[in-house]
Amino acid sequence: MPPTLISPSENDYIIRGVDSNIRADGRGRLDYRQVILETGLITQASGSARCRLGEGTDVLVGVKVEFGAVELDGADEDVAEIKAKRGRVICNVECSPIASQQFAGRGADDFNNELTQMLDRVLNGPQSGLNLEKLCIIPGQHCWIVYIDAIVLDYAGNILDTIFMTTRAALYSTRIPKTIIQERGDGEIEFDILDDVEECERIEGWDKVPVAITLNKIGSRHIVDATPLEELTTEAKLLVTVNKDGKVCGLQKSGGGSIEPSLLIDMVQTGRSLGQSLIQSLDEMLQREENDINLKRAQKERKLGFFAAT
Amino acid sequence: MTFQFLSPKSSSYTNKVDVDGDIDMLLKTERENFETQVVTPGEIITSDTQYMRGHGTFTTEKNQRLSSVAGVVEHVNKLISVRSLHARYTGDIGDLVIGRITEVSQRRWKVDINSRQDAVLLLSAINLPGGIQRRKTEADELQMRKFFSEGDLLVAEVQGTFQDGSSSLHTRNSKYGKLRNGSFVIVPQALVQRCKTHFHTLPCGVDLTLGLNGYIWVSKHTTQTAEELEIYSNENEEIDQENRESIARVCNSISVLSRHFMCINDKMIMLAYEASLNFLVKDLLKLDVMEVIISEVSEKMTLLKAGVRR
């Protein structure tokens, strides 16, 4: 159970530790903990992933693709027209009450909302990189709706970064069934969903989905991948979301403290370069995992029983 | 600032292989003599009807004794009970605990000691600054936050327990009181062993306070006596780079032990500390490094045990 309060002497110890570049667990300011990643654990979902940050923070993300009606209302006609040709992404983040004492009862409600909003804001716009137009099946009628559900199973600091990288991994493993559109004579359009597992495709633009780096301002410096005690010491947090090309896709500042302009620029720069190398290592890992699975599948192509007879 | 992604790996506890690849060849019957029995919920402990059932067990119609928790089996004559590994702490009179103030109320503090309920620390159960012996007045009651305020960490002794399982603490000893100059580690409560003393000074210039409730305080060694030091101050001493590093190393060694569920006392911590000296402090968070350290520690432990048995 991570603590929810901090004593002034611990606070001071952490601030001075950050200043001299030795944190309480011996890491430097910009050191990240190891990540244990696994994809495709939920068989019922279209795609899933689970990340554990240093065996502490534990996030499970499931992606489910379902077809539904396109969103028809909009602020004005132009918006409505664009929306009618698009698929949708719906995010939901939930913190399990077993993860931390602060999530028990109704304690997690506000935090869940905050996390959901954050994920939604980043993934539901052009900055997400997902090709939403491709998710439309019949313009003005049917589209794919991508439900992204994240659950925080354990908490040891730095939830947002973990949620974002797990989401990217889950979207990587997501497969959408192919559809065949048939035009009937009377102008009606019908479509069929192919249920062949081999005939599925990835969500276009998964590789452009950004990841997040949270920078915590402690004292006059900033750190990444904070532990719960460090998060309690944090004066201000800056979340930088970065995509593969090193483009900043979103910024959010939270916490009561202030950030000086010079430090802000420095923080965004750090976030950018860290985010880019995070994506690179994440993609390498995903590629490695897929290769392993393909290798295993190739080896197991041995027919059994009466299949073997022919 | 590199990122490391790993795939999940099952631990290799079932067949114990040491660093050289040698398998433990102790006879199974021989091992049972000194190894504790670990059970999971629903596991049969014994089918022998002569045993009585204690805490953490239940009986079936066939009169088998089953475990209702995950933990270790304890026998007291004919009474069988199972001590759960992740249970919360239950206070015993005379136990040394570390706690965190959660609430300041009328003539008492509420203290989180990892128990089912917060413990109480009465105003009459603390020492006044300067060691004056007198009854606590209303003036003392008004400045209770000067002694301990919310979030403060303290080391105390369990004075008594109540019917509902909560306990009352006292700090009427110069060794007890507020904690400073260090960092805080949490381990499962079952791992901390009851020893002659729970205050240790390690050869590496680090003070160690092992709370029986699983809270551990690792701090810089101070030579100051209780008289010259303000017992309720929140100010940290100057801690240099080297001290900071050894504090972090001790903290990480403790986490390594706790992650691999090995018991925690000063000897074990020193073994882990010595084994860790070949690595950088921040590398101790890495899973492969942890395994190397643990195998080294358990090897030394078996050597020590063998020496004792002879």
Side-chain angles (χ1 to χ4, degrees):
Chain A
M1 260 325 146
T4 47
L5 288 166
I6 189 165
S7 76
S9 57
E10 280 176 291
N11 212 23
D12 176 67
Y13 183 82
I14 289 173
I15 292 175
R16 287 204 227 172
V18 168
D19 208 38
S20 53
N21 207 9
I22 304 177
R23 294 207 247 158
D25 52 6
R27 282 184 290 159
R29 281 192 287 269
L30 299 180
D31 286 326
Y32 232 79
R33 285 171 283 183
Q34 276 182 328
V35 187
I36 300 171
L37 176 81
E38 196 178 3
T39 56
L41 339 84
I42 310 173
T43 41
Q44 302 96 312
S46 315
S48 57
R50 180 183 180 187
C51 270
R52 267 176 294 165
L53 199 61
E55 284 209 282
T57 302
D58 198 340
V59 174
L60 177 66
V61 172
V63 178
K64 183 78 184 162
V65 203
E66 274 173 18
F67 76 89
V70 291
E71 222 175 346
L72 284 173
D73 57 323
D76 53 60
E77 271 178 30
D78 292 346
V79 178
E81 203 179 324
I82 296 170
K83 276 194 175 170
K85 287 182 196 156
R86 268 190 179 177
R88 274 182 285 158
V89 178
I90 294 171
C91 306
N92 188 40
V93 183
E94 209 171 294
C95 294
S96 165
I98 53 160
S100 165
Q101 213 167 357
Q102 71 208 61
F103 302 147
R106 304 204 144 229
D109 286 7
D110 286 348
F111 196 51
N112 285 345
N113 267 338
E114 191 189 325
L115 296 174
T116 307
Q117 282 284 321
M118 193 61 228
L119 195 62
D120 201 61
R121 246 177 248 153
V122 172
L123 293 181
N124 236 336
Q127 71 275 18
S128 77
L130 294 174
N131 192 344
L132 294 178
E133 264 107 57
K134 258 275 165 84
L135 293 175
C136 186
I137 305 168
I138 303 168
Q141 287 177 27
H142 297 288
C143 69
W144 287 114
I145 303 172
V146 183
Y147 291 94
I148 299 175
D149 290 288
I151 181 161
V152 177
L153 298 168
D154 206 350
Y155 169 67
N158 204 15
I159 287 184
L160 259 173
D161 291 16
T162 322
I163 290 176
F164 271 94
M165 66 174 113
T166 322
T167 306
R168 188 179 158 93
L171 284 170
Y172 169 84
S173 72
T174 302
R175 298 288 187 281
I176 301 181
K178 271 191 181 161
T179 50
I180 297 176
I181 299 167
Q182 292 165 328
E183 214 162 319
R184 291 210 309 215
D186 50 357
E188 287 271 309
I189 311 173
E190 269 190 355
F191 69 93
D192 271 327
I193 296 170
L194 297 174
D195 44 11
D196 188 359
V197 190
E198 300 292 315
E199 285 283 317
C200 285
E201 45 192 19
R202 283 219 168 92
I203 295 184
E204 199 180 285
W206 74 268
D207 54 326
K208 295 189 191 105
V209 170
V211 293
I213 298 286
T214 310
L215 297 128
N216 300 268
K217 189 201 166 208
I218 291 178
S220 55
R221 301 187 185 257
H222 55 86
I223 58 161
V224 295
D225 194 13
T227 58
L229 276 175
E230 284 167 341
E231 282 187 352
L232 290 171
T233 315
T234 299
E235 292 162 40
K237 260 187 199 179
L238 187 73
L239 182 95
V240 185
T241 52
V242 193
N243 70 8
K244 194 177 65 174
D245 308 321
K247 295 223 168 74
V248 177
C249 299
L251 279 178
Q252 178 163 308
K253 187 246 165 200
S254 49
S258 56
I259 303 171
E260 299 84 17
S262 57
L263 186 68
L264 183 75
I265 294 166
D266 194 26
M267 279 164 102
V268 175
Q269 283 302 338
T270 320
R272 259 183 67 180
S273 56
L274 277 177
Q276 236 180 328
S277 55
L278 172 70
I279 289 184
Q280 206 184 354
S281 328
L282 179 63
D283 285 359
E284 270 168 29
M285 170 71 202
L286 290 170
Q287 194 62 49
R288 206 160 59 220
E289 203 178 37
E290 191 175 67
N291 289 346
D292 283 354
I293 291 170
N294 283 343
L295 211 69
K296 259 186 210 158
R297 204 176 277 163
Q299 283 169 348
K300 274 190 190 157
E301 286 273 308
R302 218 178 70 227
K303 284 177 182 166
L304 293 167
F306 62 83
F307 289 114
T310 50
Chain B
M1 44 184 224
T2 49
F3 293 93
Q4 256 192 317
F5 284 92
L6 305 168
S7 347
K9 193 174 91 178
S10 57
S11 52
S12 53
Y13 281 115
T14 37
N15 48 335
K16 283 183 185 162
V17 181
D18 67 6
V19 206
D20 306 324
D22 295 338
I23 297 166
D24 183 11
M25 283 176 68
L26 213 59
L27 285 173
K28 203 177 170 230
T29 45
E30 197 183 326
R31 190 183 299 142
E32 273 169 4
N33 286 332
F34 61 92
E35 222 169 58
T36 43
Q37 190 187 356
V38 181
V39 288
T40 50
E43 198 171 318
I44 298 168
I45 303 168
T46 177
S47 305
D48 201 335
T49 48
Q50 61 166 328
Y51 288 105
M52 293 195 306
R53 79 190 156 87
H55 286 296
T57 60
F58 64 100
T59 25
T60 56
E61 304 91 68
K62 287 184 210 153
N63 249 326
Q64 288 167 322
R65 301 274 178 266
L66 268 64
S67 166
S68 62
V69 290
V72 286
V73 179
E74 278 179 347
H75 291 260
V76 179
N77 297 326
K78 290 267 180 271
L79 179 73
I80 294 186
S81 48
V82 182
R83 199 157 51 97
S84 156
L85 295 176
H86 275 290
R88 285 187 167 262
Y89 170 74
T90 37
D92 276 318
I93 296 174
D95 277 3
L96 182 121
V97 293
I98 289 175
R100 194 187 286 277
I101 306 284
T102 55
E103 202 182 307
V104 183
S105 53
Q106 288 279 309
R107 281 188 290 279
R108 73 195 63 208
W109 290 271
K110 285 268 156 57
V111 191
D112 162 42
I113 55 162
N114 193 26
S115 176
R116 283 190 195 85
Q117 292 175 66
D118 282 351
V120 289
L121 173 67
L122 292 171
L123 179 60
S124 56
I126 66 161
N127 270 350
L128 287 173
I132 325 152
Q133 299 285 337
R134 61 171 168 82
R135 273 182 68 114
K136 307 290 187 301
T137 59
E138 216 160 88
D140 294 320
E141 213 177 302
L142 289 173
Q143 52 171 349
M144 273 174 70
R145 278 207 175 79
K146 280 200 180 146
F147 305 138
F148 294 114
S149 70
E150 289 89 345
D152 283 357
L153 276 173
L154 60 104
V155 52
E157 194 181 288
V158 177
Q159 192 169 33
T161 51
F162 299 114
Q163 195 81 62
D164 62 352
S166 64
S167 34
S168 82
L169 309 175
H170 80 93
T171 62
R172 305 208 70 144
N173 188 321
S174 56
K175 286 185 290 185
Y176 303 152
K178 202 171 260 185
L179 292 167
R180 278 179 296 265
N181 305 324
S183 65
F184 179 60
V185 191
I186 303 176
V187 298
Q189 157 273 131
L191 294 183
V192 184
Q193 288 184 319
R194 206 168 257 116
C195 299
K196 217 190 263 171
T197 173
H198 287 262
F199 295 100
H200 301 284
T201 304
L202 301 182
C204 48
V206 169
D207 277 353
L208 190 68
T209 313
L210 300 169
L212 274 168
N213 56 345
Y215 289 176
I216 295 175
W217 185 250
V218 185
S219 61
K220 183 196 163 197
H221 178 57
T222 49
T223 44
Q224 274 178 302
T225 53
E227 284 85 50
E228 56 186 291
L229 165 135
E230 275 203 50
I231 46 174
Y232 293 112
S233 130
N234 280 320
E235 291 294 307
N236 279 341
E237 286 171 37
E238 206 53 57
I239 304 169
D240 59 14
Q241 206 87 348
E242 202 185 329
N243 267 324
R244 229 169 243 285
E245 215 160 283
S246 43
I247 291 173
R249 192 180 283 277
V250 172
C251 286
N252 285 358
S253 307
I254 296 170
S255 325
V256 170
L257 289 173
S258 88
R259 186 151 302 168
H260 286 260
F261 239 84
M262 299 184 80
C263 68
I264 286 166
N265 52 33
D266 59 321
K267 275 206 197 79
M268 290 293 282
I269 292 170
M270 264 333 276
L271 285 182
Y273 179 87
E274 278 158 18
S276 80
L277 285 171
N278 303 330
F279 304 98
L280 284 175
V281 183
K282 64 179 175 189
D283 286 347
L284 299 182
L285 300 169
K286 291 184 177 156
L287 300 174
D288 45 339
V289 173
M290 278 186 192
E291 243 155 68
V292 173
I293 289 171
I294 283 301
S295 66
E296 207 164 304
V297 170
S298 50
E299 206 174 310
K300 277 186 191 157
M301 273 301 289
T302 38
L303 277 179
L304 283 175
K305 258 190 202 163
V308 170
R309 260 193 292 164
R310 257 182 231 122

